[in-house]
mmCIF file with all atom_site columns, all heavy atoms in Angstrom:
data_model
loop_
_atom_site.group_PDB
_atom_site.id
_atom_site.type_symbol
_atom_site.label_atom_id
_atom_site.label_alt_id
_atom_site.label_comp_id
_atom_site.label_asym_id
_atom_site.label_entity_id
_atom_site.label_seq_id
_atom_site.pdbx_PDB_ins_code
_atom_site.Cartn_x
_atom_site.Cartn_y
_atom_site.Cartn_z
_atom_site.occupancy
_atom_site.B_iso_or_equiv
_atom_site.pdbx_formal_charge
_atom_site.auth_seq_id
_atom_site.auth_comp_id
_atom_site.auth_asym_id
_atom_site.auth_atom_id
_atom_site.pdbx_PDB_model_num
ATOM 1  N N   . ALA A 1 53 ? 7.986  -18.122 0.722  1.00 98.00 ? 53 ALA A N   1
ATOM 2  C CA  . ALA A 1 53 ? 8.918  -17.011 0.553  1.00 98.00 ? 53 ALA A CA  1
ATOM 3  C C   . ALA A 1 53 ? 10.141 -17.392 -0.262 1.00 98.00 ? 53 ALA A C   1
ATOM 4  O O   . ALA A 1 53 ? 10.568 -18.548 -0.284 1.00 98.00 ? 53 ALA A O   1
ATOM 5  C CB  . ALA A 1 53 ? 9.366  -16.506 1.929  1.00 98.00 ? 53 ALA A CB  1
ATOM 6  N N   . SER A 1 54 ? 10.701 -16.381 -0.898 1.00 98.00 ? 54 SER A N   1
ATOM 7  C CA  . SER A 1 54 ? 11.985 -16.498 -1.578 1.00 98.00 ? 54 SER A CA  1
ATOM 8  C C   . SER A 1 54 ? 13.065 -16.755 -0.530 1.00 98.00 ? 54 SER A C   1
ATOM 9  O O   . SER A 1 54 ? 12.993 -16.214 0.581  1.00 98.00 ? 54 SER A O   1
ATOM 10 C CB  . SER A 1 54 ? 12.285 -15.186 -2.311 1.00 98.00 ? 54 SER A CB  1
ATOM 11 O OG  . SER A 1 54 ? 13.649 -15.053 -2.607 1.00 98.00 ? 54 SER A OG  1
ATOM 12 N N   . PRO A 1 55 ? 14.083 -17.543 -0.868 1.00 98.00 ? 55 PRO A N   1
ATOM 13 C CA  . PRO A 1 55 ? 15.149 -17.804 0.097  1.00 98.00 ? 55 PRO A CA  1
ATOM 14 C C   . PRO A 1 55 ? 16.216 -16.701 0.171  1.00 98.00 ? 55 PRO A C   1
ATOM 15 O O   . PRO A 1 55 ? 17.187 -16.840 0.913  1.00 98.00 ? 55 PRO A O   1
ATOM 16 C CB  . PRO A 1 55 ? 15.767 -19.106 -0.418 1.00 98.00 ? 55 PRO A CB  1
ATOM 17 C CG  . PRO A 1 55 ? 15.563 -19.031 -1.898 1.00 98.00 ? 55 PRO A CG  1
ATOM 18 C CD  . PRO A 1 55 ? 14.230 -18.343 -2.088 1.00 98.00 ? 55 PRO A CD  1
ATOM 19 N N   . ALA A 1 56 ? 16.046 -15.601 -0.556 1.00 97.00 ? 56 ALA A N   1
ATOM 20 C CA  . ALA A 1 56 ? 17.036 -14.526 -0.530 1.00 97.00 ? 56 ALA A CA  1
ATOM 21 C C   . ALA A 1 56 ? 17.207 -13.988 0.889  1.00 97.00 ? 56 ALA A C   1
ATOM 22 O O   . ALA A 1 56 ? 16.244 -13.902 1.657  1.00 97.00 ? 56 ALA A O   1
ATOM 23 C CB  . ALA A 1 56 ? 16.615 -13.392 -1.467 1.00 97.00 ? 56 ALA A CB  1
ATOM 24 N N   . VAL A 1 57 ? 18.429 -13.613 1.235  1.00 97.00 ? 57 VAL A N   1
ATOM 25 C CA  . VAL A 1 57 ? 18.718 -13.095 2.574  1.00 97.00 ? 57 VAL A CA  1
ATOM 26 C C   . VAL A 1 57 ? 17.819 -11.907 2.899  1.00 97.00 ? 57 VAL A C   1
ATOM 27 O O   . VAL A 1 57 ? 17.286 -11.809 4.009  1.00 97.00 ? 57 VAL A O   1
ATOM 28 C CB  . VAL A 1 57 ? 20.217 -12.736 2.711  1.00 97.00 ? 57 VAL A CB  1
ATOM 29 C CG1 . VAL A 1 57 ? 20.488 -11.939 3.982  1.00 97.00 ? 57 VAL A CG1 1
ATOM 30 C CG2 . VAL A 1 57 ? 21.065 -13.998 2.673  1.00 97.00 ? 57 VAL A CG2 1
ATOM 31 N N   . ARG A 1 58 ? 17.613 -10.993 1.955  1.00 97.00 ? 58 ARG A N   1
ATOM 32 C CA  . ARG A 1 58 ? 16.785 -9.818  2.239  1.00 97.00 ? 58 ARG A CA  1
ATOM 33 C C   . ARG A 1 58 ? 15.334 -10.189 2.522  1.00 97.00 ? 58 ARG A C   1
ATOM 34 O O   . ARG A 1 58 ? 14.660 -9.518  3.289  1.00 97.00 ? 58 ARG A O   1
ATOM 35 C CB  . ARG A 1 58 ? 16.905 -8.785  1.126  1.00 97.00 ? 58 ARG A CB  1
ATOM 36 C CG  . ARG A 1 58 ? 16.508 -9.238  -0.252 1.00 97.00 ? 58 ARG A CG  1
ATOM 37 C CD  . ARG A 1 58 ? 16.977 -8.213  -1.297 1.00 97.00 ? 58 ARG A CD  1
ATOM 38 N NE  . ARG A 1 58 ? 16.706 -8.568  -2.657 1.00 97.00 ? 58 ARG A NE  1
ATOM 39 C CZ  . ARG A 1 58 ? 17.483 -9.319  -3.430 1.00 97.00 ? 58 ARG A CZ  1
ATOM 40 N NH1 . ARG A 1 58 ? 18.602 -9.824  -2.937 1.00 97.00 ? 58 ARG A NH1 1
ATOM 41 N NH2 . ARG A 1 58 ? 17.155 -9.559  -4.681 1.00 97.00 ? 58 ARG A NH2 1
ATOM 42 N N   . VAL A 1 59 ? 14.862 -11.284 1.938  1.00 98.00 ? 59 VAL A N   1
ATOM 43 C CA  . VAL A 1 59 ? 13.499 -11.763 2.230  1.00 98.00 ? 59 VAL A CA  1
ATOM 44 C C   . VAL A 1 59 ? 13.476 -12.417 3.608  1.00 98.00 ? 59 VAL A C   1
ATOM 45 O O   . VAL A 1 59 ? 12.572 -12.160 4.409  1.00 98.00 ? 59 VAL A O   1
ATOM 46 C CB  . VAL A 1 59 ? 13.011 -12.733 1.135  1.00 98.00 ? 59 VAL A CB  1
ATOM 47 C CG1 . VAL A 1 59 ? 11.694 -13.385 1.539  1.00 98.00 ? 59 VAL A CG1 1
ATOM 48 C CG2 . VAL A 1 59 ? 12.866 -12.002 -0.192 1.00 98.00 ? 59 VAL A CG2 1
#
Side-chain angles (χ1 to χ4, degrees):
S54 160
V57 168
R58 59 193 177 274
V59 172

